[in-house]
Amino acid sequence: MPVDDAVLNSLTTPDEVSVGDRRMVFDGGMPTRGGADDAYAHIDRTAAFDAFVQGLPAVSLWAIRKGFVEAGVQDGDVFLTSGLLDCRSLLLTANCDTVYFITFLDLSDGPVLVDVPSDVLGAADDMWWRWVTDFGVPGPDRGTGGRYLFAGPGYEGTLPEGGVFVARSRTNRVALFGRAFLEDDDPAPVVDRIKDELKITPYTPGGLGSSIASFLDGECPLGQLGKPSTPRFVEGTGLAVNTCPPSDPDAFYRLLDEAVQAEPASALDPEVAAPIAAVGIVKDRPFSPDERMAAILTEAGAAANACVRAVAMRPRPAEGFHFYPDTGSNWISPLFAGGYSFQTPPPSVTEEGVKPFPDPGAKKTLARASFFYVATVVSPAMCMNLSGIGSQYLGATMDSGQRTLHGGSTYRVRLPAGIPAGKFWSLTAYDTQTRSMVVTDQLFPRAGSQAYPTPAAVADADGSITVWFGPVKPDGVTDGNWIQTDPDRAWFALLRFYSPLPAFFDKSWRPGEVELIDGEEA
């Protein structure tokens, strides 16, 4: 009995399958030599695209470490912004409102103890931008200061039985990003406290956190307590440092290879490692693409960079980034779509308790890549539906007419009265290409409720605040209500709420859109 034609048709591969300008040719279902070559070219381009998307978190963080090292900030040193960060440093969407202290810990020789200062806000991430632990206000020390032990993936020795917050990392390096708030608009007392209280010390097994009883029971050696060590602080204010991941494909994939070689193979999840290995980036193997593969990496890397940038800068509604959906608002917040894990949205916090969302069972890989294309650090504290703790962010990459924000034009944003920030709020302008602060004579491209490092924004008669953006300050606008832009470059903005209030989460308060007042409408 012959097979039904409909069944045969459902199983038949056409004699030619076209992908763009490429033709995969088959002869009775058998690929021709040229058809097979085109098929493998498509496979390799797909792998190269996926390797860019999956590898971008590692490249992003490795670029920060590499930039620090080139600027003289070694592992264990602390990058500290005593006068706050300004536009002379290239650091993805960094703020100029809080004191930063940043360090990379090398755990390859054993665990490291960190004494965290009081009254700070911070997180530790591994070298693939995976969350390890919070510290400070959102962490287990809850802002009182505390001692943290960080252990790497190969450590199998004794760990403290108490008195220390223990965190395990899947990578041999861990990045600690801390922030501290000004006191009466002055960073000096905050900087003094960080320098006095922050300690970084190698862990001695059987020392602090291990009882004499555990030694007598043979559970650990009898170690010395060890004296907490003050790290070397490197001034970050005004430091010319480039920490941004490269968009150039060749530089990107070579930096990805550096990141892979620097950590154990087990640091990568298998599905992440697969496309990266497919393009020739494998632990303990030289990365040496031939001419054919180099051309593929160049083409696919450029396409991936363009696609990730499109998602980050102009997300479609289906991505779930729009914070006020179905309202026409352009304000976005990419973390709420899949939470800090880029998989499950953060749980709702209600009077009845915490209500988690179901796990969809799939990573939002484009959301993850686009987030790390423009930002750094990931933590539950950055996207939790809990008021009064941490900080929250909204981004504006277009004006109210869905147009590019041009540095040569004048814009304004009206913030209604009652801005929902318990500590303070700020609005900062960033260069669209570098994703770092716009570079102008203003140095600190921000407006906000703090009176440092620029004057505080002044409210209008109705309590609302209007912030202006443009190359020249409009007539009648105070210094604190104007952010200078570069007439030759595009920009975008981030609106930050420190200790956000309920009106942020229930969306009863909403910022105005970025309105074009004078200039280019393209």
Side-chain angles (χ1 to χ4, degrees), residues 117-128:
S118 56
D119 296 322
V120 301
L121 183 73
D125 287 348
D126 75 10
M127 295 303 291
W128 281 79

Side-chain angles (χ1 to χ4, degrees), residues 77-80 101 194-196 198 230-235:
D77 292 343
V78 177
F79 175 90
L80 178 65
F101 59 98
I194 293 171
K195 288 184 174 180
D196 182 57
L198 179 61
T230 299
R232 174 176 173 259
F233 291 96
V234 178
E235 180 55 62

Side-chain angles (χ1 to χ4, degrees), residues 46-370:
T46 301
F49 185 98
D50 290 344
F52 187 104
V53 172
Q54 297 281 18
L56 196 144
V59 172
S60 171
L61 190 46
W62 193 252
I64 296 176
R65 180 187 175 270
K66 191 167 185 177
F68 274 15
V69 170
E70 291 175 352
V73 187
Q74 304 298 324
D75 291 347
D77 292 343
V78 177
F79 175 90
L80 178 65
T81 58
S82 299
L84 306 190
L85 203 65
D86 64 37
C87 66
R88 289 171 287 186
S89 299
L90 292 177
L91 209 114
L92 297 181
T93 53
N95 74 67
C96 45
D97 306 298
T98 64
V99 174
Y100 276 106
F101 59 98
I102 305 171
T103 187
F104 287 84
L105 305 178
D106 187 347
L107 311 177
S108 56
D109 291 331
V112 173
L113 290 168
V114 178
D115 290 311
V116 169
S118 56
D119 296 322
V120 301
L121 183 73
D125 287 348
D126 75 10
M127 295 303 291
W128 281 79
W129 275 135
R130 292 173 300 215
W131 178 68
V132 175
T133 188
D134 288 324
F135 59 84
V137 173
D141 69 278
R142 301 296 291 274
T144 62
R147 178 164 292 177
Y148 289 74
L149 180 145
F150 295 91
Y155 183 73
E156 297 179 355
T158 300
L159 290 172
E161 61 193 79
V164 176
F165 303 114
V166 177
R168 299 297 301 247
S169 169
R170 290 177 60 184
T171 59
N172 282 321
R173 283 187 178 86
V174 174
L176 271 64
F177 284 75
R179 292 170 295 161
F181 302 127
L182 309 188
E183 295 182 8
D184 297 324
D185 292 328
D186 186 0
V190 179
V191 171
D192 290 343
R193 186 175 72 249
I194 293 171
K195 288 184 174 180
D196 182 57
E197 298 180 8
L198 179 61
K199 310 293 181 185
I200 301 176
T201 313
Y203 169 64
T204 302
L208 184 70
S210 297
S211 65
I212 298 299
S214 63
F215 162 68
L216 295 174
D217 288 339
E219 297 174 0
C220 69
L222 185 60
Q224 299 300 312
L225 293 182
K227 183 179 180 180
S229 176
T230 299
R232 174 176 173 259
F233 291 96
V234 178
E235 180 55 62
T237 301
L239 183 66
V241 56
N242 175 22
T243 68
C244 300
S247 297
D248 171 70
D250 181 67
F252 180 93
Y253 290 112
R254 294 197 180 281
L255 204 58
L256 177 57
D257 180 61
E258 288 185 31
V260 168
Q261 301 307 328
E263 297 294 343
S266 59
L268 283 75
D269 293 322
E271 76 276 8
V272 171
I276 296 172
V279 300
I281 299 175
V282 181
K283 174 70 174 178
D284 294 331
R285 295 185 193 174
F287 174 52
S288 183
D290 59 20
E291 185 177 345
R292 169 189 168 277
M293 194 65 196
I296 288 175
L297 290 170
T298 297
E299 180 183 349
N305 175 73
C307 291
V308 171
R309 175 175 280 271
V311 176
M313 297 293 181
R314 193 182 283 268
R316 58 189 174 184
E319 303 303 327
F321 293 1
H322 290 82
F323 196 68
Y324 306 97
D326 305 320
T327 65
S329 173
N330 290 318
W331 290 100
I332 58 176
S333 181
L335 278 179
F336 280 88
Y340 75 97
S341 66
F342 301 98
Q343 185 164 320
T344 307
S348 296
V349 179
T350 69
E351 293 182 357
E352 292 76 32
V354 176
K355 295 185 177 181
F357 288 92
D359 185 345
K363 287 286 186 187
K364 297 180 180 293
T365 53
L366 275 178
R368 179 175 61 192
S370 65

